[in-house]
Amino acid sequence: MDSREQVEPRVVWAVVESGIGPLLLAASRDGLVNVVFHATDAVRDKAAERLASRLGTEPVEAPGSPLLAEAIRQVKAYFAGERRDFALPLDWSLISGFNREVLRELASGVPYGQVVGYGDLAGRVGQPGAAQAVGMAMGANPLPVVVPCHRVVESGGGIGGFGGGLETKRRLLALEGVLPEPLF
């Protein structure tokens, strides 16, 4: 065990209040590794168990950790309307293959305030017939909001699905000016 591991756990997490409810942010030494919606106690416990199983180390609640400081700052700024994109190191270890390729394209190629269709995103990664597989990749996204799966919509104008719930997707798209703010 090196001295850094004694000081800083390998995976840390904290809950941040946002415009869509509490978000769990988890980070490793490689970067932000997970964002979890609706971070109630039960959701946090399940997310921590899943991270421990997938990453082989017990995540530690550490809201003051330097590993989380910039992610917390940027997420708060995004929800305050002061930030349009994220400039964070990301740890992609929870996703691989086609899903990782699609999510990387989404993160770099679909800016704030714009949307893309599932089929269009499939075409961007060289798989024009893979719209459904893109939908599965969005559902497997371990970094929602930061890797903006809320910006992927149906080609016919429908909002599409969303792991955080359709109301959450609507609120994120409204924050970015794609949809009008709900009246109530």
Side-chain angles (χ1 to χ4, degrees):
M1 181 184 304
D2 67 30
S3 61
R4 241 176 59 188
E5 191 165 334
Q6 291 174 0
V7 175
E8 187 72 51
R10 287 185 14 190
V11 179
V12 294
W13 64 272
V15 173
V16 176
E17 286 302 320
S18 74
I20 55 171
L23 296 174
L24 181 143
L25 304 180
S28 71
R29 292 182 190 144
D30 293 328
L32 189 66
V33 71
N34 203 200
V35 176
V36 179
F37 293 115
H38 315 299
T40 61
D41 288 344
V43 169
R44 288 188 296 243
D45 291 346
K46 187 167 275 200
E49 288 173 23
R50 195 170 44 250
L51 283 168
S53 170
R54 299 276 313 276
L55 299 174
T57 186
E58 193 68 36
V60 175
E61 183 176 13
S65 170
L67 296 177
L68 286 167
E70 187 60 17
I72 290 170
R73 189 186 72 71
Q74 288 188 30
V75 165
K76 286 181 177 181
Y78 171 82
F79 283 103
E82 300 164 356
R83 181 169 204 87
R84 291 178 161 239
D85 56 359
F86 294 93
L88 295 169
L90 300 178
D91 177 343
W92 293 94
S93 62
L94 293 178
I95 197 135
S96 61
F98 177 80
N99 290 355
R100 183 187 290 190
E101 184 180 359
V102 168
L103 291 171
R104 283 181 180 265
E105 173 59 31
L106 174 64
S108 65
V110 183
Y112 182 96
Q114 294 186 20
V115 295
V116 65
Y118 293 95
D120 294 334
L121 190 53
R124 289 186 186 191
V125 297
Q127 301 289 328
Q132 284 186 314
V134 166
M136 298 297 285
M138 295 307 104
N141 182 4
L143 296 161
V145 180
V146 175
V147 176
C149 52
H150 60 277
R151 296 180 190 155
V152 183
V153 297
E154 295 174 349
S155 59
I159 195 167
F162 195 61
L166 292 181
E167 183 56 31
T168 300
K169 186 171 186 172
R170 284 186 189 95
R171 291 174 72 191
L172 288 166
L173 291 171
L175 173 70
E176 295 188 9
V178 175
L179 293 176
E181 287 287 341
L183 295 175
F184 44 90

